[in-house]
Amino acid sequence: MSERVLYESSNGDSWSLARDPASNLPAVKHQPNPGGQTSYMPIGSFLVSGASSSEKHGLLKLIGTTLGDG
């Protein structure tokens, strides 16, 4: 699976659907603006976390594109 950008904030942070290098499972990757440390969160944990609705909306929109028009 190649990385897919979910959301990019105005301060330079970005969130992507990617594989966690430690587990090789799909996860949400948070790439902070320069100077910060990249982190990975399981998709389920991300959806129930306090993350901004913009990032969650981006993930749900990407998932929706895999379903087609029905």
Side-chain angles (χ1 to χ4, degrees):
M1 172 178 81
S2 60
E3 202 169 293
R4 300 281 304 268
V5 174
L6 304 173
Y7 179 74
E8 295 177 317
S9 71
S10 59
N11 72 352
D13 286 11
S14 67
W15 290 261
S16 303
L17 182 61
R19 287 206 179 269
D20 183 330
S23 67
N24 202 36
L25 295 173
V28 174
K29 174 184 175 183
H30 174 231
Q31 179 69 50
N33 55 33
Q37 184 173 349
T38 300
S39 62
Y40 294 83
M41 182 181 288
I43 294 169
S45 299
F46 177 77
L47 288 172
V48 298
S49 74
S52 162
S53 61
S54 297
E55 294 95 64
K56 287 180 185 179
H57 178 74
L59 175 58
L60 294 172
K61 184 176 177 182
L62 177 60
I63 291 169
T65 64
T66 66
L67 299 175
D69 293 332

